[in-house]
Amino acid sequence: MRMSPESFDYLLTLVGPLISRESTKFREPISAAERLALTLRYLASGNSQQSMSFAYRIGRTTVCNIIQETCSAIWQALKDKYLRAPKNTEEWKSISEEFLTVWNFPHCIGAIDGKHIAIECPSNTGSLYHNYKGFFSVVLMAICDARYTFTLINIGDYGSNNDSGVLGNSEIGKALASNTLGVPDPETFEGFEKPLPYYLVGDDIFGLQIWLQRSYPRSRNPSEDQQIFNYRLSRARRVIENTFGILRARWRVFSGPIRASIETVVAMTQAAICLHNFLRQTNSASYCPTGFVD
């Protein structure tokens, strides 16, 4: 289940009250612990819901309902504590200091990228969810800090949209453009004549903004300064790629197309991201041991 028994027990105290059911005169309900265990095993193994039905001796429809309800409960119980965006300039600066210390890139407040969550084609949607890679998907747009922890996410856009369009239409992009997230004002930094803004780092699909930096365009004869800048930026941007890699490796439900409604896919993704942050902050030694990431 990707966690220690102690972590499972603690998680159960947070999620259990939201998924417990009352006993009736006709039968005993499925316990909160079994509901949580089934959902975690489904997310971690990537097995089908039918195989989970056989393994837990629970009806196929019941398994489907339990997974959807428990994923929603995990999101509800964990998002405010373990998926909390920075609230003020001090918290943004703390992330920036980590990027400088760990990745040697100043004034960076996060790495941003999009990931396509593979799904089976929803009914009556045509090519809306068909992406340029050749499969059907919904887009997970995410920002992470220097320690492979998600800070801001947007889930559910059509797979046919590119990352730049998804960011521009999302609440995250609009908040960054209007500067309502509390990002610090530009400040002086050693080696720069003018104040240096705080910014995200992304790949070439994103447009250049004051709050979003990308590498210099490819050229036949790049200068030494451009090569050094591109190398440093790519190393900092790689953090979000590794974060997606950890998420996919630990929660194998994302290793193949998910057969579920869009609402359920979104709930599963939200739950997996909250669990990722929860385990990174409480049980990182076993969830993501030394040498596990690039």
Side-chain angles (χ1 to χ4, degrees):
M1 297 179 189
R2 308 303 185 199
M3 62 185 69
S4 64
E6 293 77 17
S7 295
F8 178 86
D9 291 339
Y10 178 61
L11 181 62
L12 183 60
T13 63
L14 300 176
V15 180
L18 301 176
I19 57 176
S20 298
R21 298 293 182 268
E22 295 182 0
S23 301
T24 67
K25 294 186 295 183
F26 300 100
R27 62 179 179 180
E28 291 292 321
I30 299 172
S31 67
E34 189 169 0
R35 288 171 178 267
L36 180 59
L38 185 153
T39 302
L40 292 177
R41 185 58 189 159
Y42 172 75
L43 295 175
S45 67
N47 293 335
S48 66
Q49 294 183 10
Q50 186 64 66
S51 66
M52 301 304 297
S53 172
F54 293 146
Y56 282 83
R57 302 181 68 184
I58 298 174
R60 167 71 172 76
T61 303
T62 305
V63 168
C64 179
N65 293 335
I66 287 175
I67 290 173
Q68 187 170 13
E69 292 170 2
T70 307
C71 284
S72 298
I74 291 172
W75 167 254
Q76 198 68 30
L78 301 184
K79 65 175 181 177
D80 292 334
K81 184 175 182 180
Y82 295 102
L83 186 61
R84 188 175 64 85
K87 300 296 184 181
N88 49 53
T89 58
E90 287 72 21
E91 293 183 2
W92 286 114
K93 288 181 179 180
S94 177
I95 295 176
S96 173
E97 290 171 0
E98 285 192 332
F99 267 100
L100 180 60
T101 302
V102 179
W103 302 108
N104 200 18
F105 208 71
H107 281 213
C108 178
I109 56 174
I112 184 170
D113 201 6
K115 175 178 174 57
H116 288 272
I117 306 297
I119 61 173
E120 292 194 1
C121 180
S123 301
N124 304 318
T125 57
S127 60
L128 282 175
Y129 290 96
H130 194 265
N131 61 44
Y132 71 98
K133 297 182 178 181
F135 59 88
F136 294 91
S137 66
V138 295
V139 179
L140 162 62
M141 179 64 60
I143 300 172
C144 73
D145 62 17
R147 304 288 183 180
Y148 310 114
T149 301
F150 293 102
T151 54
L152 292 164
I153 62 170
N154 180 79
I155 310 171
D157 266 271
Y158 299 130
S160 58
N161 295 340
N162 62 38
D163 291 348
S164 181
V166 172
L167 177 62
N169 295 327
S170 68
E171 294 298 325
I172 298 174
K174 294 176 182 177
L176 288 167
S178 60
N179 195 23
T180 57
L181 286 178
V183 176
D185 294 327
E187 294 182 354
T188 57
F189 188 80
E190 182 181 357
F192 291 85
E193 296 179 359
K194 297 181 179 180
L196 181 67
Y198 288 85
Y199 51 83
L200 303 170
V201 289
D203 57 20
D204 294 344
I205 191 65
F206 297 106
L208 186 64
Q209 305 284 345
I210 294 177
W211 46 268
L212 197 157
Q213 299 296 309
R214 46 178 282 184
S215 60
Y216 282 100
R218 295 180 183 179
S219 63
R220 292 185 177 181
N221 298 306
S223 66
E224 183 179 0
D225 288 343
Q226 290 178 351
Q227 292 182 56
I228 293 172
F229 178 83
N230 285 356
Y231 165 72
R232 293 276 183 87
L233 186 143
S234 297
R235 189 170 63 174
R237 193 193 66 80
R238 189 176 58 188
V239 178
I240 186 64
E241 303 286 0
N242 283 344
T243 306
F244 285 146
I246 297 169
L247 184 74
R248 185 179 185 277
R250 287 311 190 192
W251 307 105
R252 302 296 293 175
V253 70
F254 301 118
S255 62
I258 302 175
R259 187 179 184 182
S261 66
I262 298 299
E263 293 75 16
T264 303
V265 172
V266 170
M268 290 178 185
T269 308
Q270 290 174 333
I273 287 173
C274 285
L275 290 168
H276 169 91
N277 282 7
F278 167 72
L279 293 170
R280 281 291 298 161
Q281 297 176 36
T282 62
N283 194 19
S284 181
S286 60
Y287 178 72
C288 185
T290 303
F292 184 73
V293 295
D294 185 0

